[in-house]
Structure formats: structure tokens, C-alpha cells
Amino acid sequence: MSLLEKLDRAAAARKAQLPGGIGAFGIPIEAIYSATEARIGGRKILLLGTNNYLGLSFSTECREAAHAAIDAEGTGTTGSRMANGNYSGHRALEAEFADFYHCRSSIVFTTGYQANLGTISALLGKGDVALIDGDSHASIYDGCILSGADVIRFRHNDRDDLEKRLRRLGERSKNTLIIVEGIYSMLGDQAPLADIVNLKKQYGSLLLLDEAHSLGVLGETGQGLVEKTGLNQDVDFITGTFSKSLCGIGGYCVSNHEQLDQMRYVSHPYIFTASPSPATIAATRAALKILSAGTELRKRLWQNAEQLYSALKNIGYQVGPQPGPIVAIILDSPEQALAMWNGLMAANIYVNLILPPAAPEGKSLVRCSINAAHTPEQINYVSQVLSELYAKLH
Ligand code: PMP
């Protein structure tokens, strides 16, 4: 089969999976009004499918910081951190991330995807082992592939399965990086971090925690699952992204290991790409300040999340195992999920449609995500529409 025929075949498989459902992916946003509203298809739509957990995308402080940085430093750095792209803002943000986590140091990457790719591929090489949760994000899988290490998956959030695999590794467990996420992006559940920390200590492995969806969401100052569980000093590497609670684009890795700094000299996803733009860095620095002082925002976010999660459970929907800003409705088939997605769009509500293989265990998901800017009235409206759809589609 030719290279282009392979793409034709993939396109045909995609269309067969969901005839008429292609429009759900990459939907054009015509105008964006706020953290909760946009114009799509000529209509005002309630956004319930972003990762804007603290609702900061239009924050005055972040916008002003971005404008000032463009005026002072221009629109882009045009180069890598290793060459001409290492401005004082990048270094200041790294110091601020290290302070925020009370860790020795941090590295800023150009995206969250690259933070995982760059960290994993710098730590692991041929002959080493990546022991990863089966529901890991694609950036974790891709980082493992780039590293050349052997990749072993353990059953999602299953500490016994993790232990079984560590035991089988024997001496190799000492060359193993365990990788888990603070909040999983599809079902919104949290890793059993205390159990995982105990195992990594017992077997002499290292632990990387991706706080992409938990930064700003969990813990008194918003560090994530490390703070909620009090395990800040027990996780070897924490990665995360600017693209969710911080409303920018970029990523970071923080650690107490002095070797972190050496990654700058070996990590291709750090070296061979341009550094984040001055506006991105400035807005992220402003957002990190708001995030760490954002107890009130987190309280609102959790009130909203719990309101929707319990409403959907009461209606009878199968939802993820625990409440949080990601509330996933779990459905058996792509057709059911598409019917629900279409029903929500008809009621002017945008959510994420997630089909296999992106959804776990062959299921399909209607993934709702809540933020601190949603009002109780908006959540009531969503619950009412979902209640009507439940009656219609079941
Ligand atoms: N890790 C996880 C768990 C994610 O869900 C994502 C993005 N969805 C990333 C990393 C990558 O972050 P970014 O989109 O900012 O590159």
C-alpha cells in the first residue's frame, strides 16, 4: 500500500466509525466571548468542553502582562533556549515554578506535550523501563517511544497490578520510571498516589507525576495531587502544562534532583524547538500568581463540578469514578455518544466527543468540563438538557 493510500484507508475507517459525525472534531469557533461562551455555527454556545479550569483566559492581569511583553520584547523569540531564546522571563518563570512547588529547580518547555516528551526521553534510554498507567496521555506514550525504553503498562489506577509488574522486573525496577497523572484527562479520576509512592520507594524506582489537569485544581495553593496528598517531597519529577488552568501554552518539569538541569543538554524536545513567546511567558507568570492565591476560584470550581457530577448521577448516567472538573458520561457506542453530542449542540452546549481508541476500554465518552467561571444557572441548564436527553435516548 502506498503512503497516501494508507491515509485514505485511515480516513475511510474514521468515516465508517461515525457516519455524519465528522463535524464534532475540530469544530470551528467563530468568536470567543468569555471563559464560558463562544459563537459556533452562528449561535451563542455555552462552552462545557475546555480545560480552562480557573476561567482565567480573559483575566485582566494576564492580558495586560502579555500586551506589555509584546511591546517590550516582540512577538517571538525566534530561537531555542539553548541559543538566542533564553530571555530573563523564561528564567524568572522557572524560578517561580520551583518556588511554587518548594522544589530545587524547574525547566520550562514550549508545550505540555514537549514537557513530557523532553523529560521522559531525557531520563530513559534503551534498556531502561517505563512503567506507565494504561490510561496515560499520548504525550507520555510518545515520550516513551522517543526514549527507546521498554514500555510496560499497568492496569489503570491498580496498585496491585503495578506491584506485580515491579516484582517481575527484579533488579530492573531500579532502572524504571513509573509514570502517572494527577487527574486523568478522560474520566477525571485521581491516581492513588500514596500507594504508588510506597511502591516506588520499596522497589527503588523513580516516579514522574503529570499534573496537567490537576494544577490549579487540587491542593490548597493549587500545586495538584502532590499537595492534596502531602507527597510533594516524594515524587521525583512533576510535569505539567500552561494550557489548562494557566490559560497559555507551554509546559514545565520541576524536581528536587540536581540532575534536572542536565536535561537541558540532552533533551531534544527542549533543545530543538523555539522557546515560548514573551507574551506567553508574561501571561503565564501572571496566571501562576493568581492560581497560587486562588483558593476562592478553586472553591467555586469544585462547587460547580460537584453540582454537575451529582446531577448526572441522579439522572442515572454512568459517570467517571469520582467528581472533579472533568465529568465524563460513559456510553457503550460511538453512535450513542454522537447522538448525545448532537442533542447538546442543538441545545447550544458544546462538550467533547471522545471515541475509541482515545476513550478507555472501548467505551465512548461525552466529556464535560467545568470551570470556576460557570454560573450555577448555566450548570442547572446543562443538567436539565441532559435530563431530557436521557429520557429521549434511553
Ligand atoms: N498531559 C496530559 C495528561 C494532557 O491531557 C495534555 C493535553 N491534553 C498534555 C500533557 C499536553 O499538554 P499541552 O496540550 O499543553 O501540550
Side-chain angles (χ1 to χ4, degrees):
M1 201 188 316
S2 78
L3 300 183
L4 294 177
E5 279 165 354
K6 272 195 280 183
L7 286 175
D8 287 341
R9 182 188 264 204
R14 189 164 50 88
K15 283 189 188 132
Q17 185 186 39
L18 209 57
I22 305 300
F25 301 110
I27 195 160
I29 307 269
E30 291 147 13
I32 181 97
Y33 301 127
S34 69
T36 62
E37 287 179 328
R39 189 176 73 235
I40 300 176
R43 291 178 291 142
K44 195 190 237 191
I45 300 282
L46 172 61
L47 295 173
L48 204 79
T50 70
N51 301 299
N52 192 357
Y53 299 126
L54 298 180
L56 294 181
S57 50
F58 283 81
S59 125
T60 305
E61 292 91 327
C62 299
R63 283 187 294 148
E64 283 177 359
H67 285 145
I70 289 177
D71 290 343
E73 296 180 294
T75 52
T77 67
T78 78
S80 159
R81 291 291 298 282
M82 293 300 277
N84 60 301
N86 186 21
Y87 293 9
S88 60
H90 299 86
R91 299 193 302 281
L93 180 57
E94 287 179 342
E96 285 155 11
F97 265 113
D99 272 0
F100 172 62
Y101 279 104
H102 312 298
C103 271
R104 194 174 183 282
S105 55
S106 105
I107 299 185
V108 159
F109 292 84
T110 304
T111 67
Y113 178 85
Q114 284 164 301
N116 277 337
L117 240 61
T119 304
I120 296 168
S121 64
L123 283 168
L124 294 172
K126 227 172 165 349
D128 299 326
V129 179
L131 191 42
I132 69 175
D133 186 284
D135 281 5
S136 291
H137 186 258
S139 56
I140 293 173
Y141 279 95
D142 292 353
C144 294
I145 293 169
L146 185 63
S147 77
D150 297 327
V151 184
I152 301 174
R153 299 190 314 168
F154 62 94
R155 267 203 301 277
H156 175 56
N157 272 354
D158 186 334
R159 63 86 55 213
D160 293 341
D161 196 45
L162 172 59
E163 172 149 41
K164 188 171 84 188
R165 288 165 200 281
L166 279 166
R167 207 180 315 117
R168 278 193 200 148
L169 281 169
E171 273 303 295
R172 290 187 81 200
S173 68
K174 299 194 172 59
N175 271 39
T176 293
L177 179 67
I178 302 170
I179 308 176
V180 297
E181 297 176 26
I183 291 182
Y184 282 87
S185 56
M186 293 293 118
L187 295 181
D189 49 344
Q190 299 166 26
L193 197 61
D195 287 342
I196 293 166
V197 161
N198 285 339
L199 287 173
K200 82 110 194 173
K201 286 183 178 165
Q202 190 182 333
Y203 286 87
S205 308
L206 291 182
L207 175 60
L208 185 155
L209 172 67
D210 180 352
E211 297 269 28
H213 291 271
S214 29
L215 172 70
V217 171
L218 297 176
E220 179 59 28
T221 67
Q223 287 175 1
L225 189 61
V226 276
E227 190 175 23
K228 181 188 166 193
T229 53
L231 293 165
N232 185 307
Q233 300 304 312
D234 296 292
V235 171
D236 297 282
F237 298 91
I238 297 169
T239 56
T241 176
F242 307 169
S243 72
K244 305 187 194 303
S245 284
L246 292 169
C247 287
I249 177 154
Y252 62 91
C253 175
V254 299
S255 179
N256 276 322
H257 291 291
E258 64 185 41
Q259 290 86 350
L260 182 72
D261 203 46
Q262 175 59 18
M263 276 191 201
R264 296 183 201 271
Y265 303 93
V266 295
S267 174
H268 284 200
Y270 174 81
I271 301 168
F272 294 103
T273 198
S275 63
S277 72
T280 291
I281 294 291
T284 304
R285 292 181 66 190
L288 186 58
K289 264 196 211 135
I290 300 172
L291 180 151
S292 57
T295 312
E296 205 40 53
L297 285 172
R298 270 181 285 289
K299 209 194 281 167
R300 246 183 285 150
L301 167 66
W302 277 94
Q303 277 165 356
N304 287 343
E306 273 155 13
Q307 187 188 341
L308 185 69
Y309 185 83
S310 58
L312 298 200
K313 264 196 126 162
N314 287 340
I315 293 168
Y317 281 112
Q318 189 191 348
V319 288
Q322 65 189 118
I326 298 165
V327 182
I329 299 177
I330 304 168
L331 297 153
D332 288 329
S333 71
E335 291 75 17
Q336 280 177 323
L338 180 62
M340 188 152 296
W341 188 87
N342 280 329
L344 285 162
M345 274 305 277
N348 300 328
I349 300 167
Y350 170 78
V351 296
N352 305 123
L353 176 68
I354 315 280
L355 303 180
E361 294 176 11
K363 298 284 186 183
S364 295
L365 305 178
V366 164
R367 176 188 183 272
C368 309
S369 64
I370 308 300
N371 70 47
H374 285 119
T375 62
E377 293 72 32
Q378 286 174 324
I379 311 256
N380 276 339
Y381 174 65
V382 172
S383 307
Q384 180 205 321
V385 170
L386 279 165
S387 171
E388 287 159 17
L389 282 172
Y390 188 86
K392 220 196 251 171
L393 300 173
H394 278 76

